[in-house]
Amino acid sequence: MQTPLSLQVKRQLRPFVVVLAGFTLASNLLLLVAPLYMLQVYDRVLSSGSRDTLVWLTVLAVFLLAVYGAAEAGRRRVCTLAGDALENLLARRVFTRFEQDTLGQSSLSRDMTAISRIRNTLQNGAVLPFVDLPFTPIFLVVLFLVHPMLGFLGLAGGLLVFGVAVAAELTTREPAKVSQAALRQAGDFAGGLERQRSAMVAMGLIPAAFRRWQAQEKIGQDLAMDAARSDGKFTAISRSARQILQICVLGGGAALALAQEISPGAIVASSIILARTLGPIDQIVGGWRNSVQAWSSWVQLRNGLGDVETEPAYTPMPRPAAELGLDRLSVAVPGAEHPLIRPFSWSVKSGQIIAIAGGNGAGKTTLLQTLSGAWMPGSGQVSLGGRNLHEWAATDRGRYVGYVPQDVELLPATIAENIARLDAASSDDIVAAAKQAGAHDVILSLPDGYDTRVGPGGVHLSAGQRQLIGLARALYGNPVLLLLDEPTANLDSAAAPRLVSALVQAAEAGCIILTATHDRRVIEKASTVLLVRNGEVMAAPSDQFIKLATGPGVATTAAKGPAA
């Protein structure tokens, strides 16, 4: 049975909470050292004139405050370790959700940002005022013991500062939430421009894009300014109230001392105790917005990751037979109400190249993504070697599947690591895959060959270079099923024939190859063409399809529908 995320987090943090409670208890009790020291100095040392007493009191106070410093350092260290442990737990689930999401509902970057916010809240000590808050009644009791009037002043001050915190939350919650959404939308808009730079510069769209971004950003910034203005106002009120209460306690203590109801040392001691009483509340008010954001991040992760298994258990399967079967399969874009391709049945065995043809928007890419396991089928099932492909653990299944999207993006790593799929592999296997894809010479021409880093801070590669390296990555490990989306679209006249030869070689080795293409050179090597048109899939021999494309004379055979 799957353990709920909240329970897993509690179990993960329980040891840290126990240690933190111990350090916090010591830290808060030792905060009484300073007022007790002042009380003894004023009431005992000054009245007796004993220097020895002063020395020993000072030595004891310094020792206890050194212990206090160690306790403070200890609990901050515990918070840092707790942040790391929580990040490890949540990040694994976030990546698992990213892998399992077939509806396009997850956002890896947004979830990782939420984890970073929670981790930073723990590591910078922002949770410590909340941990200290339960000790506030202890300091209030001490104030009451000094004198009831001082205790009531402390109680009134605590209620006042707490009321300011509640007012701040009610006033700034909604503007802060709306501003975050607006700023996130502006950030997403800016992020979406990066890959379109060339087209935008060519068509002079940068100024218009800037104006659009500026308008979205201004909405968020205006709301953020309103929230910050309100937050700053309440913070100022809280701190001002603290200072006024300090004066009231000092003045009230002096009046009580004149009436000989308390000693002079109690005046200073009560002022220090009041500061310790209101300190956690004041710190909570000052960091309220960050605390609310951290809590919102936790709610977001808890709701999104609640049904995600950290490490789904699976039994590694042997290499499947090269048999692909589609049983009444319908294909739909995630979230769409109606299928893009209506149910059909079809099968293919090893050593065949299948070309998928059709007009723009017919569903060729969606079909490939469904066959790869990245998207769930609308209905029906896909089997590879007799096993349901979508019920097969992706980590295990991926060893036998190669996929080359139309726009290949390489991971920020070396070319060798990209080809090896970030796995430990021998250089011979990596080079063999590159040679089979026709990418070996291209890679050798790069500054560091196979050790060339790509991605942010690395070498910029052309679309054709990425295409060849992506094919090498797909061919690595001799996959059973190879899926390609317009594989020759970005290749020149010299590289394209090499890619076609690589496909023929892979088919001869027993691989099943399905490729969405309009390239006649690829179609000529295919045994069958699947034509996707108006939601239907029709099959025809490749030679007859070529004749059909150039003139009349062939009839296609529809793949079996639901009634078959």
Side-chain angles (χ1 to χ4, degrees):
M1 183 176 178
Q2 183 179 339
T3 306
L5 178 61
S6 298
L7 184 56
Q8 279 201 0
V9 170
K10 289 179 181 178
R11 290 176 179 175
Q12 184 82 15
L13 297 183
R14 184 177 295 135
F16 300 102
V17 172
V18 172
V19 177
L20 180 62
F23 279 128
T24 300
L25 176 62
S27 175
N28 280 273
L29 292 179
L30 290 171
L31 284 174
L32 295 172
V33 169
L36 291 176
Y37 174 77
M38 295 304 299
L39 191 64
Q40 293 298 314
V41 168
Y42 275 87
D43 295 349
R44 178 175 297 182
V45 174
L46 294 183
S47 61
S48 66
S50 173
R51 295 186 178 181
D52 290 341
T53 303
L54 177 61
V55 170
W56 285 111
L57 281 174
T58 303
V59 170
L60 179 60
V62 169
F63 171 75
L64 292 176
L65 290 177
V67 175
Y68 163 77
E72 275 293 302
R75 67 180 193 156
R76 288 184 178 274
R77 177 61 177 167
V78 169
C79 286
T80 299
L81 295 176
D84 288 338
L86 190 60
E87 181 183 41
N88 291 335
L89 173 65
L90 295 177
R92 191 178 295 112
R93 280 180 174 257
V94 165
F95 273 85
T96 302
R97 181 194 182 200
F98 176 68
E99 176 187 32
Q100 297 175 350
D101 177 38
T102 58
L103 298 178
Q105 295 178 344
S106 68
S107 173
L108 182 62
S109 60
R110 189 172 300 172
D111 287 344
M112 294 306 296
T113 299
I115 291 177
S116 296
R117 184 176 292 122
I118 296 172
R119 182 200 62 209
N120 292 337
T121 300
L122 286 170
Q123 293 185 344
N124 63 20
V127 299
L128 294 181
F130 293 94
V131 179
D132 291 332
L133 193 60
F135 292 90
T136 295
I138 296 177
F139 293 111
L140 276 175
V141 169
V142 174
L143 272 179
F144 274 102
L145 291 177
V146 174
H147 195 278
M149 188 189 79
L150 298 179
F152 282 115
L153 277 175
L155 179 61
L159 293 175
L160 175 62
V161 176
F162 179 76
V164 171
V166 173
E169 161 63 7
L170 296 177
T171 305
T172 62
R173 178 193 299 171
E174 195 61 30
K177 185 186 299 183
V178 177
S179 69
Q180 288 175 24
L183 291 174
R184 185 167 55 245
Q185 183 179 3
D188 293 343
F189 178 78
L193 301 178
E194 295 180 5
R195 296 180 183 175
Q196 307 177 55
R197 177 187 174 279
S198 298
M200 295 180 66
V201 171
M203 294 184 287
L205 295 179
I206 298 296
F210 171 73
R211 288 191 296 270
R212 174 66 62 86
W213 171 86
Q214 190 178 43
Q216 295 178 353
E217 181 78 3
K218 188 175 186 305
I219 295 173
Q221 289 291 357
D222 288 345
L223 292 170
M225 287 287 289
D226 291 340
R229 189 182 302 112
S230 298
D231 193 41
K233 177 179 65 178
F234 287 113
T235 300
I237 293 173
S238 173
R239 294 186 177 179
S240 176
R242 273 191 67 185
Q243 297 301 318
I244 293 173
L245 285 168
Q246 290 284 131
I247 295 298
C248 291
V249 167
L250 287 173
L256 293 172
L258 289 175
Q260 297 185 347
E261 294 187 29
I262 61 173
S263 64
I267 301 174
V268 179
S270 59
S271 176
I272 297 174
I273 294 172
L274 177 66
R276 304 306 187 196
T277 303
L278 300 182
I281 302 175
D282 189 44
Q283 292 173 27
I284 290 173
V285 174
W288 188 255
R289 288 184 64 197
N290 291 333
S291 300
V292 170
Q293 289 177 0
W295 178 255
S296 299
S297 297
W298 160 244
V299 172
Q300 168 193 328
L301 293 171
R302 183 188 61 192
N303 294 339
L305 305 178
D307 57 349
V308 177
E309 291 188 49
T310 306
E311 295 179 356
Y314 66 88
T315 301
M317 299 295 292
R319 184 180 179 87
E323 298 176 352
L324 179 68
L326 313 182
D327 183 16
R328 307 185 183 212
L329 176 71
S330 69
V331 174
V333 175
E337 296 183 3
H338 304 289
L340 193 58
I341 298 177
R342 289 185 285 276
F344 71 102
S345 299
W346 185 71
S347 62
V348 61
K349 294 187 177 181
S350 64
Q352 296 188 51
I353 299 176
I354 309 300
I356 303 175
N360 293 331
K364 303 185 298 299
T365 297
T366 306
L367 175 60
L368 287 177
Q369 289 178 320
T370 302
L371 297 179
S372 71
W375 287 1
M376 293 295 292
S379 62
Q381 73 173 33
V382 181
S383 61
L384 180 62
R387 178 164 190 184
N388 190 324
L389 186 141
H390 291 89
E391 294 179 356
W392 195 345
T395 304
D396 189 42
R397 180 194 67 219
R399 297 181 295 158
Y400 311 115
V401 177
Y403 179 60
V404 182
Q406 188 170 356
D407 184 14
V408 175
E409 290 289 343
L410 299 179
L411 299 171
T414 66
I415 289 178
E417 290 170 332
N418 269 278
I419 294 176
R421 306 183 182 188
L422 300 182
D423 198 7
S426 68
S427 58
D428 292 340
D429 293 337
I430 295 173
V431 173
K435 286 182 176 180
Q436 185 179 356
H440 181 65
D441 293 336
V442 172
I443 296 173
L444 292 181
S445 67
L446 297 174
D448 296 316
Y450 284 87
D451 294 323
T452 301
R453 295 195 64 84
V454 295
V459 174
H460 173 74
L461 300 179
S462 68
Q465 290 173 320
R466 295 198 307 271
Q467 193 87 8
L468 291 175
I469 296 171
L471 178 60
R473 178 176 63 186
L475 291 171
Y476 174 80
N478 299 318
V480 175
L481 177 63
L482 185 61
L483 306 167
L484 306 97
D485 194 354
E486 299 290 353
T488 60
N490 298 311
L491 302 182
D492 57 30
S493 57
R498 290 199 296 268
L499 182 141
V500 175
S501 298
L503 299 184
V504 172
Q505 181 181 349
E508 292 174 349
C511 182
I512 299 174
I513 302 173
L514 285 86
T515 173
T517 184
H518 295 94
D519 192 326
R520 179 165 178 163
R521 293 167 295 188
V522 178
I523 295 176
E524 287 175 346
K525 299 298 182 181
S527 59
T528 304
V529 176
L530 294 181
L531 178 62
V532 182
R533 179 186 294 170
N534 298 327
E536 300 287 347
V537 177
M538 296 173 286
S542 60
D543 55 347
Q544 295 187 19
F545 178 82
I546 293 173
K547 292 178 182 179
L548 177 65
T550 56
V554 66
T556 57
T557 302
K560 294 180 181 179

